[in-house]
Structures are given as C-alpha cells and as structure tokens.
Amino acid sequence: MGNCQQCIVRQFSSLKALNKEELLRLAACKSSMTIKKGQPIFEEGDTSTGIYCIKEGVCKLSKLSPTGKDQIIKFIRPGELLGQRSMISEESANLSAVAVEDMEVCFIPKSEILSFFTQNNQFSLNVMKDICADLKEADDLSVSMAQKSVKERLAGALLYLEEVFDCDYDDTLRVQLSREELAGMIGTATESCIRLLSEFNKQGLIEIKGKKIALLDRKGLEKLANQK
C-alpha cells in the first residue's frame, strides 16, 4: 500500500484537501499501474470509472479529427489528475490519454472519489477549481487558434514543450514529437510546420538536429509567441 500522504500528486492536486483518515481510505482502494510509452490510459468515448493520479511520466491528451488526424490538446504531468470532468459529468471521455514516456499511475474508483466529494467541502471546491482551470485552458487554446498566426502558435508550442519536458544536455527538447504531431498541436498542415521550422532555423531561433529541436533564442520565441 503506497503512502498517499507523501505522494507528489497529493501535493499539487485537489487531493491535498483530504485528511489523514480519508488518505488511508484512498490508499486502501487505489490500484497502481505502469503504462508503457505509446499505450493509452483511456481512449475517446470510454466511460469513466474513476480518476487517474499521475506519479511519474507524461501523457498527451488528444482528439481525433473527422479526417483521422490526431490533434494534441495538452500534456499531463506528474502531480496532476486525469478524468475528473468526465467522472463528475457522467459523460464519456471526449479526449484520449496516451503515454509519451513510461508512466506510473494510480487509479481511484469513482465511488470513493464521489464519497469524498459529498463529505469534504474543500475537496469538492478544489475539484471544481481544477475543472474551471481546464475549461479556461480550452478557451485560451480556442482563442489562440482563432487569433494567432501559425508562426505565433508554433513559437508558443515549442516553449510549451520545453516547459513540460525540459531539455537534454545539448539544449534539445527532451520529447521527440513527429512533425505531424507538432503540426496537429498548432492546427496546420505538416508541410507548413516543416517549412516554418526551417524558417525558425534560418533565423537562429532554433537549431534542427535530425529529428531533435534545440531552442537557441527563447526571448525571440517568446516575443513571437506573444505578438498582439
């Protein structure tokens, strides 16, 4: 039985509102699992049976377009929860969650979470705040897609990937997304994404090292990403 009191997820999520007795109940009912890179945690259309606590690793939340393209919406990091909105709204998942690196995840059944929800006001308030933050993020993404140019969105996406995954010793992004995945993130064709990356490379904003990308001029990327 893992120690939920010391868990990173509890420190950064709505679970921090649970008291010692509730955490012991949580530890008794949760199940731990290892998700290998490329495996789904859940898929679009799945029925929610609980929430997932991310202990280690990162997964992508993505939406399949009518044309069959996989658009990455955001990444979920250690310390975050997955599946809260679907569980409370009793709707099927509208996104897929797939591991982009090996992950350690804990699953908490819906029945246990809902009992905390009715018994602990601070916990339920924290969950609502988390869901509101997710909705705001979705609104921001929608506005970005509508109002920013593809070039601005690409600059922002590269900075976001650095924030989520950090960089290797050679300053390249630690995650290697395919050009198609990167294009899906910013809502453009793969060819346009490749052309813009080449342009950024020539301008000295980034350096392309095979499949890897190094960020050379972060201030330049920030200025481009935040143009009004």
Side-chain angles (χ1 to χ4, degrees), residues 9-217:
V9 184
R10 188 206 169 209
Q11 295 170 40
F12 294 106
S13 73
S14 49
L15 297 178
K16 60 180 175 283
L18 300 182
N19 60 39
K20 188 173 182 179
E21 182 186 330
E22 289 167 331
L23 287 168
L24 287 171
R25 275 170 50 199
L26 185 71
C29 75
K30 72 179 176 65
S31 53
S32 301
M33 57 187 80
T34 299
I35 311 287
K36 293 294 183 184
K37 179 179 178 179
Q39 287 184 335
I41 299 175
F42 56 78
E43 295 182 308
E44 196 174 331
D46 284 355
T47 301
S48 174
T49 56
I51 64 170
Y52 300 86
C53 308
I54 310 304
K55 290 180 69 178
E56 291 180 24
V58 177
C59 70
K60 64 178 180 180
L61 286 179
S62 59
K63 182 85 174 170
L64 204 60
S65 74
T67 57
K69 284 194 173 182
D70 193 39
Q71 182 181 356
I72 297 173
I73 306 299
K74 67 179 289 190
F75 292 95
I76 303 294
R77 293 172 266 190
E80 295 189 74
L81 300 178
L82 259 181
Q84 296 178 99
R85 190 188 63 79
S86 297
M87 183 194 69
I88 291 166
S89 66
E90 297 188 333
E91 296 173 347
S92 57
N94 70 327
L95 300 171
S96 295
V98 177
V100 293
E101 55 189 27
D102 290 352
M103 301 180 71
E104 292 297 326
V105 175
C106 287
F107 175 77
I108 307 169
K110 179 178 181 177
S111 57
E112 202 64 40
I113 289 294
L114 290 181
S115 73
F116 295 146
F117 206 81
T118 55
Q119 295 164 17
N120 186 320
N121 289 338
Q122 189 57 53
F123 172 72
S124 57
L125 181 62
N126 286 355
V127 171
M128 289 297 104
K129 284 181 177 177
D130 285 349
I131 291 172
C132 288
D134 287 343
L135 290 172
K136 181 183 181 299
E137 202 168 328
D139 286 344
D140 289 344
L141 177 64
S142 178
V143 169
S144 172
M145 286 291 188
Q147 297 183 357
K148 291 193 172 187
S149 69
V150 178
K151 188 181 291 187
E152 291 163 354
R153 297 201 298 268
L154 178 57
L158 292 172
L159 292 167
Y160 171 64
L161 290 173
E162 182 188 40
E163 179 194 340
V164 174
F165 294 97
D166 212 348
C167 289
D168 280 331
Y169 65 92
D170 59 355
D171 235 17
T172 59
L173 293 171
R174 200 166 64 83
V175 64
Q176 286 189 53
L177 296 183
S178 69
R179 298 300 187 250
E180 188 176 8
E181 286 177 316
L182 191 52
M185 271 187 78
I186 60 174
T188 192
T190 306
E191 297 75 19
S192 298
C193 180
I194 291 170
R195 188 171 63 250
L196 280 174
L197 286 171
S198 178
E199 190 179 313
F200 283 10
N201 188 66
K202 287 174 185 172
Q203 292 171 351
L205 295 169
I206 64 172
E207 183 182 356
I208 298 173
K209 302 180 178 182
K211 291 184 178 180
K212 301 188 84 176
I213 299 172
L215 306 191
L216 301 183
D217 183 0

